[in-house]
Amino acid sequence: MRSRKVQFTSTLADLALEEGIATLGLRGMAAKIGTSDRMLIYYFGTKDQLIVDVLEQVSTRLSALLLRINDGARSSPGQFLMRVLAMVHDPKIAPFMKLWTEVIARSARGETPYDRIGPGAVKSWTDWIDSKLAPSPGHTETGRAAAILSIVEGAVLLEMAAPGSTKDVACFLSKALNADSSGSDEVIGTGLKR
């Protein structure tokens, strides 16, 4: 039984990465993987548990992928943002980013089981971002990771709605994030005062 459940979970994770969360309807999932909705309930217990298991599989795959591309060095917020925004366009990583953006959106709407998954996903992402950022001497670091995650989630959402719309934002945002906060009050390139 266990190997069949693992196989279903892996196949459904592939499907979710290819087609998004909307694919995770019970009958649709069952039909796409050549089984019945009753068989999925037999292995997973509930539709919610199936979704949780599939998203855990996706999370495990993404963690392994990020470990392989991680150089271990900490960087400034701007440098880090440049690297992460490049991932939005990387065909290996973009499907994961799109899927997690969908999870966060559904969590924000209070949809079950995403409402339970979303807060943990946000915490995992902000913890990971914090672990990649170099300390900023003399400045408070509270909120840096959440700010960067907000930018990335916004970029992913815009890319989902209008592919190619964010291809030039990384350089601008990187400069803005790396601006010396003790220097000019002008936000780089905008003429707007902070």
Side-chain angles (χ1 to χ4, degrees), residues 126-174:
T126 54
D127 288 349
W128 180 74
I129 292 168
D130 272 332
S131 76
K132 302 302 175 198
L133 296 176
S136 57
H139 300 287
T140 181
E141 296 179 12
T142 304
R144 285 191 319 167
I148 290 171
L149 182 58
S150 299
I151 293 168
V152 172
E153 286 294 319
V156 172
L157 192 58
L158 287 177
E159 277 299 310
M160 289 169 72
S165 62
T166 65
K167 68 180 176 68
D168 296 324
V169 302
C171 186
F172 173 83
L173 291 172
S174 176

Short mmCIF file of all heavy atoms in Angstrom, two decimals, residues 126-174:
data_model
loop_
_atom_site.label_atom_id
_atom_site.label_comp_id
_atom_site.label_asym_id
_atom_site.label_seq_id
_atom_site.Cartn_x
_atom_site.Cartn_y
_atom_site.Cartn_z
N THR A 126 10.61 32.87 4.70
CA THR A 126 11.31 33.99 5.35
C THR A 126 12.53 33.50 6.13
O THR A 126 13.55 34.17 6.14
CB THR A 126 10.37 34.82 6.25
OG1 THR A 126 9.72 33.97 7.20
CG2 THR A 126 9.33 35.57 5.43
N ASP A 127 12.43 32.32 6.75
CA ASP A 127 13.60 31.76 7.44
C ASP A 127 14.72 31.48 6.44
O ASP A 127 15.89 31.77 6.70
CB ASP A 127 13.25 30.47 8.17
CG ASP A 127 12.40 30.69 9.41
OD1 ASP A 127 12.25 31.86 9.84
OD2 ASP A 127 11.87 29.69 9.96
N TRP A 128 14.37 30.91 5.28
CA TRP A 128 15.37 30.62 4.26
C TRP A 128 16.01 31.91 3.76
O TRP A 128 17.23 31.99 3.63
CB TRP A 128 14.73 29.85 3.10
CG TRP A 128 15.69 29.51 2.01
CD1 TRP A 128 16.68 28.56 2.05
CD2 TRP A 128 15.79 30.14 0.72
NE1 TRP A 128 17.38 28.55 0.85
CE2 TRP A 128 16.85 29.51 0.03
CE3 TRP A 128 15.09 31.16 0.10
CZ2 TRP A 128 17.22 29.89 -1.26
CZ3 TRP A 128 15.45 31.53 -1.19
CH2 TRP A 128 16.51 30.89 -1.85
N ILE A 129 15.20 32.92 3.50
CA ILE A 129 15.73 34.21 3.03
C ILE A 129 16.67 34.80 4.07
O ILE A 129 17.78 35.24 3.75
CB ILE A 129 14.59 35.18 2.68
CG1 ILE A 129 13.84 34.67 1.44
CG2 ILE A 129 15.13 36.60 2.44
CD1 ILE A 129 12.52 35.38 1.18
N ASP A 130 16.23 34.81 5.34
CA ASP A 130 17.09 35.34 6.42
C ASP A 130 18.44 34.62 6.46
O ASP A 130 19.47 35.24 6.71
CB ASP A 130 16.41 35.20 7.78
CG ASP A 130 15.54 36.39 8.13
OD1 ASP A 130 15.83 37.51 7.66
OD2 ASP A 130 14.58 36.19 8.89
N SER A 131 18.44 33.32 6.20
CA SER A 131 19.69 32.54 6.26
C SER A 131 20.63 32.88 5.10
O SER A 131 21.81 32.56 5.15
CB SER A 131 19.39 31.04 6.26
OG SER A 131 19.03 30.58 4.97
N LYS A 132 20.11 33.53 4.07
CA LYS A 132 20.92 33.86 2.89
C LYS A 132 21.38 35.31 2.88
O LYS A 132 22.20 35.69 2.04
CB LYS A 132 20.12 33.59 1.60
CG LYS A 132 19.64 32.17 1.46
CD LYS A 132 20.79 31.20 1.50
CE LYS A 132 20.32 29.77 1.50
NZ LYS A 132 21.34 28.85 1.95
N LEU A 133 20.86 36.14 3.78
CA LEU A 133 21.19 37.56 3.79
C LEU A 133 22.36 37.86 4.72
O LEU A 133 22.42 37.35 5.84
CB LEU A 133 19.99 38.40 4.22
CG LEU A 133 18.78 38.36 3.30
CD1 LEU A 133 17.63 39.17 3.92
CD2 LEU A 133 19.12 38.89 1.92
N ALA A 134 23.26 38.68 4.24
CA ALA A 134 24.38 39.14 5.07
C ALA A 134 23.83 40.11 6.12
O ALA A 134 22.89 40.87 5.83
CB ALA A 134 25.43 39.84 4.21
N PRO A 135 24.39 40.08 7.33
CA PRO A 135 23.95 41.04 8.35
C PRO A 135 24.19 42.46 7.87
O PRO A 135 25.14 42.73 7.13
CB PRO A 135 24.83 40.71 9.55
CG PRO A 135 25.39 39.37 9.30
CD PRO A 135 25.43 39.19 7.81
N SER A 136 23.33 43.37 8.30
CA SER A 136 23.51 44.78 7.93
C SER A 136 23.92 45.55 9.18
O SER A 136 23.09 45.86 10.02
CB SER A 136 22.24 45.36 7.32
OG SER A 136 21.17 45.22 8.22
N PRO A 137 25.22 45.86 9.31
CA PRO A 137 25.72 46.53 10.52
C PRO A 137 25.02 47.87 10.75
O PRO A 137 24.84 48.67 9.85
CB PRO A 137 27.20 46.76 10.23
CG PRO A 137 27.51 46.00 9.00
CD PRO A 137 26.24 45.66 8.32
N GLY A 138 24.61 48.07 11.99
CA GLY A 138 24.02 49.35 12.36
C GLY A 138 22.58 49.56 11.92
O GLY A 138 22.01 50.60 12.17
N HIS A 139 22.00 48.57 11.25
CA HIS A 139 20.62 48.72 10.79
C HIS A 139 19.78 47.57 11.33
O HIS A 139 20.26 46.46 11.46
CB HIS A 139 20.54 48.71 9.25
CG HIS A 139 21.31 49.81 8.62
ND1 HIS A 139 20.89 51.11 8.64
CD2 HIS A 139 22.48 49.80 7.95
CE1 HIS A 139 21.79 51.86 8.01
NE2 HIS A 139 22.76 51.09 7.58
N THR A 140 18.54 47.85 11.61
CA THR A 140 17.64 46.79 12.05
C THR A 140 17.33 45.86 10.88
O THR A 140 17.23 46.31 9.75
CB THR A 140 16.34 47.37 12.64
OG1 THR A 140 15.53 46.28 13.06
CG2 THR A 140 15.58 48.21 11.63
N GLU A 141 17.24 44.59 11.16
CA GLU A 141 17.00 43.61 10.10
C GLU A 141 15.57 43.10 10.12
O GLU A 141 15.20 42.28 9.31
CB GLU A 141 18.00 42.46 10.23
CG GLU A 141 19.41 42.94 10.03
CD GLU A 141 20.43 41.82 10.19
OE1 GLU A 141 20.03 40.65 10.23
OE2 GLU A 141 21.61 42.13 10.27
N THR A 142 14.77 43.57 11.04
CA THR A 142 13.39 43.13 11.14
C THR A 142 12.65 43.45 9.86
O THR A 142 12.70 44.57 9.37
CB THR A 142 12.69 43.81 12.33
OG1 THR A 142 13.45 43.56 13.50
CG2 THR A 142 11.28 43.30 12.49
N GLY A 143 12.00 42.47 9.32
CA GLY A 143 11.18 42.69 8.14
C GLY A 143 11.87 42.53 6.80
O GLY A 143 11.20 42.54 5.77
N ARG A 144 13.20 42.38 6.78
CA ARG A 144 13.89 42.27 5.49
C ARG A 144 13.41 41.07 4.69
O ARG A 144 13.11 41.18 3.50
CB ARG A 144 15.42 42.16 5.66
CG ARG A 144 16.10 43.42 6.03
CD ARG A 144 17.62 43.34 5.94
NE ARG A 144 18.18 42.09 6.43
CZ ARG A 144 19.44 41.72 6.23
NH1 ARG A 144 20.26 42.49 5.55
NH2 ARG A 144 19.90 40.59 6.71
N ALA A 145 13.37 39.92 5.33
CA ALA A 145 12.97 38.70 4.62
C ALA A 145 11.54 38.79 4.12
O ALA A 145 11.24 38.43 2.98
CB ALA A 145 13.16 37.48 5.51
N ALA A 146 10.63 39.30 4.96
CA ALA A 146 9.24 39.43 4.54
C ALA A 146 9.10 40.43 3.39
O ALA A 146 8.30 40.23 2.47
CB ALA A 146 8.37 39.85 5.72
N ALA A 147 9.90 41.50 3.44
CA ALA A 147 9.86 42.49 2.34
C ALA A 147 10.32 41.85 1.04
O ALA A 147 9.69 42.03 -0.02
CB ALA A 147 10.73 43.69 2.69
N ILE A 148 11.40 41.09 1.10
CA ILE A 148 11.91 40.43 -0.11
C ILE A 148 10.91 39.39 -0.61
O ILE A 148 10.64 39.31 -1.82
CB ILE A 148 13.30 39.81 0.15
CG1 ILE A 148 14.32 40.95 0.32
CG2 ILE A 148 13.71 38.87 -0.97
CD1 ILE A 148 15.68 40.51 0.79
N LEU A 149 10.34 38.60 0.29
CA LEU A 149 9.34 37.62 -0.11
C LEU A 149 8.14 38.31 -0.76
O LEU A 149 7.61 37.82 -1.76
CB LEU A 149 8.90 36.77 1.08
CG LEU A 149 7.88 35.68 0.78
CD1 LEU A 149 8.40 34.70 -0.27
CD2 LEU A 149 7.51 34.95 2.07
N SER A 150 7.73 39.45 -0.22
CA SER A 150 6.61 40.20 -0.82
C SER A 150 6.93 40.61 -2.24
O SER A 150 6.08 40.51 -3.14
CB SER A 150 6.31 41.45 0.02
OG SER A 150 5.93 41.11 1.32
N ILE A 151 8.14 41.07 -2.47
CA ILE A 151 8.56 41.48 -3.82
C ILE A 151 8.55 40.27 -4.76
O ILE A 151 8.03 40.34 -5.88
CB ILE A 151 9.96 42.13 -3.78
CG1 ILE A 151 9.90 43.46 -3.04
CG2 ILE A 151 10.51 42.31 -5.20
CD1 ILE A 151 11.27 44.03 -2.70
N VAL A 152 9.12 39.17 -4.30
CA VAL A 152 9.19 37.97 -5.14
C VAL A 152 7.80 37.45 -5.45
O VAL A 152 7.49 37.13 -6.61
CB VAL A 152 10.06 36.88 -4.46
CG1 VAL A 152 9.99 35.57 -5.23
CG2 VAL A 152 11.51 37.36 -4.35
N GLU A 153 6.94 37.35 -4.44
CA GLU A 153 5.57 36.87 -4.68
C GLU A 153 4.84 37.78 -5.67
O GLU A 153 4.12 37.30 -6.54
CB GLU A 153 4.78 36.78 -3.36
CG GLU A 153 5.19 35.62 -2.49
CD GLU A 153 4.87 34.27 -3.10
OE1 GLU A 153 3.80 34.10 -3.69
OE2 GLU A 153 5.71 33.37 -2.99
N GLY A 154 5.05 39.09 -5.54
CA GLY A 154 4.43 40.03 -6.49
C GLY A 154 4.95 39.82 -7.90
O GLY A 154 4.18 39.82 -8.87
N ALA A 155 6.25 39.60 -8.03
CA ALA A 155 6.84 39.37 -9.36
C ALA A 155 6.32 38.08 -9.97
O ALA A 155 6.00 38.03 -11.16
CB ALA A 155 8.37 39.34 -9.26
N VAL A 156 6.22 37.03 -9.16
CA VAL A 156 5.70 35.76 -9.66
C VAL A 156 4.25 35.93 -10.12
O VAL A 156 3.87 35.46 -11.19
CB VAL A 156 5.81 34.63 -8.60
CG1 VAL A 156 5.10 33.37 -9.06
CG2 VAL A 156 7.27 34.34 -8.28
N LEU A 157 3.46 36.63 -9.33
CA LEU A 157 2.06 36.84 -9.68
C LEU A 157 1.93 37.64 -10.99
O LEU A 157 1.14 37.29 -11.87
CB LEU A 157 1.35 37.57 -8.54
CG LEU A 157 -0.17 37.64 -8.60
CD1 LEU A 157 -0.78 36.25 -8.65
CD2 LEU A 157 -0.69 38.40 -7.39
N LEU A 158 2.75 38.67 -11.15
CA LEU A 158 2.72 39.44 -12.40
C LEU A 158 3.15 38.59 -13.59
O LEU A 158 2.58 38.68 -14.67
CB LEU A 158 3.62 40.67 -12.29
CG LEU A 158 3.11 41.80 -11.41
CD1 LEU A 158 4.14 42.92 -11.33
CD2 LEU A 158 1.78 42.33 -11.89
N GLU A 159 4.16 37.75 -13.39
CA GLU A 159 4.60 36.85 -14.47
C GLU A 159 3.51 35.86 -14.85
O GLU A 159 3.37 35.51 -16.02
CB GLU A 159 5.87 36.10 -14.08
CG GLU A 159 7.14 36.87 -14.28
CD GLU A 159 7.37 37.27 -15.73
OE1 GLU A 159 7.30 36.41 -16.63
OE2 GLU A 159 7.63 38.46 -15.96
N MET A 160 2.77 35.40 -13.86
CA MET A 160 1.68 34.48 -14.14
C MET A 160 0.60 35.17 -14.98
O MET A 160 0.04 34.57 -15.90
CB MET A 160 1.08 33.95 -12.84
CG MET A 160 2.00 32.99 -12.10
SD MET A 160 1.45 32.61 -10.41
CE MET A 160 0.03 31.56 -10.74
N ALA A 161 0.32 36.43 -14.66
CA ALA A 161 -0.72 37.18 -15.37
C ALA A 161 -0.25 37.68 -16.72
O ALA A 161 -1.02 37.69 -17.68
CB ALA A 161 -1.19 38.35 -14.52
N ALA A 162 1.02 38.11 -16.79
CA ALA A 162 1.55 38.70 -18.03
C ALA A 162 3.01 38.26 -18.19
O ALA A 162 3.92 38.98 -17.77
CB ALA A 162 1.44 40.22 -17.99
N PRO A 163 3.24 37.07 -18.77
CA PRO A 163 4.61 36.58 -18.91
C PRO A 163 5.54 37.60 -19.57
O PRO A 163 5.17 38.25 -20.55
CB PRO A 163 4.44 35.33 -19.79
CG PRO A 163 3.05 34.87 -19.50
CD PRO A 163 2.25 36.14 -19.30
N GLY A 164 6.71 37.77 -18.97
CA GLY A 164 7.70 38.72 -19.48
C GLY A 164 7.59 40.11 -18.87
O GLY A 164 8.47 40.94 -19.06
N SER A 165 6.54 40.36 -18.10
CA SER A 165 6.32 41.70 -17.57
C SER A 165 7.32 42.13 -16.51
O SER A 165 7.48 43.32 -16.25
CB SER A 165 4.90 41.84 -17.03
OG SER A 165 4.69 40.93 -15.95
N THR A 166 8.02 41.19 -15.89
CA THR A 166 8.96 41.55 -14.82
C THR A 166 10.41 41.35 -15.21
O THR A 166 11.29 41.43 -14.36
CB THR A 166 8.67 40.73 -13.55
OG1 THR A 166 8.93 39.36 -13.80
CG2 THR A 166 7.25 40.93 -13.07
N LYS A 167 10.68 41.12 -16.49
CA LYS A 167 12.06 40.78 -16.88
C LYS A 167 13.06 41.88 -16.58
O LYS A 167 14.23 41.62 -16.39
CB LYS A 167 12.12 40.36 -18.34
CG LYS A 167 11.84 41.45 -19.34
CD LYS A 167 11.92 40.91 -20.76
CE LYS A 167 11.56 41.94 -21.78
NZ LYS A 167 12.49 43.03 -21.90
N ASP A 168 12.63 43.12 -16.49
CA ASP A 168 13.56 44.23 -16.26
C ASP A 168 13.51 44.82 -14.85
O ASP A 168 14.17 45.81 -14.58
CB ASP A 168 13.30 45.35 -17.28
CG ASP A 168 13.56 44.90 -18.70
OD1 ASP A 168 14.50 44.12 -18.91
OD2 ASP A 168 12.81 45.32 -19.60
N VAL A 169 12.75 44.23 -13.94
CA VAL A 169 12.61 44.83 -12.62
C VAL A 169 13.74 44.48 -11.66
O VAL A 169 13.99 45.22 -10.72
CB VAL A 169 11.25 44.49 -11.96
CG1 VAL A 169 10.09 44.94 -12.81
CG2 VAL A 169 11.15 43.03 -11.62
N ALA A 170 14.42 43.38 -11.88
CA ALA A 170 15.43 42.92 -10.92
C ALA A 170 16.54 43.94 -10.70
O ALA A 170 16.91 44.22 -9.56
CB ALA A 170 16.02 41.58 -11.36
N CYS A 171 17.06 44.51 -11.75
CA CYS A 171 18.16 45.47 -11.62
C CYS A 171 17.70 46.71 -10.84
O CYS A 171 18.39 47.17 -9.94
CB CYS A 171 18.68 45.85 -13.00
SG CYS A 171 20.14 46.91 -12.93
N PHE A 172 16.55 47.24 -11.19
CA PHE A 172 16.02 48.41 -10.50
C PHE A 172 15.82 48.13 -9.02
O PHE A 172 16.25 48.90 -8.16
CB PHE A 172 14.70 48.86 -11.15
CG PHE A 172 14.02 49.96 -10.39
CD1 PHE A 172 14.40 51.28 -10.57
CD2 PHE A 172 13.02 49.67 -9.48
CE1 PHE A 172 13.79 52.29 -9.85
CE2 PHE A 172 12.40 50.67 -8.77
CZ PHE A 172 12.78 51.99 -8.95
N LEU A 173 15.17 47.02 -8.71
CA LEU A 173 14.89 46.69 -7.32
C LEU A 173 16.16 46.39 -6.54
O LEU A 173 16.27 46.73 -5.36
CB LEU A 173 13.92 45.51 -7.24
CG LEU A 173 12.50 45.82 -7.70
CD1 LEU A 173 11.68 44.54 -7.77
CD2 LEU A 173 11.84 46.83 -6.79
N SER A 174 17.12 45.75 -7.18
CA SER A 174 18.39 45.46 -6.53
C SER A 174 19.09 46.75 -6.10
O SER A 174 19.57 46.87 -4.98
CB SER A 174 19.29 44.65 -7.45
OG SER A 174 20.55 44.46 -6.87
#
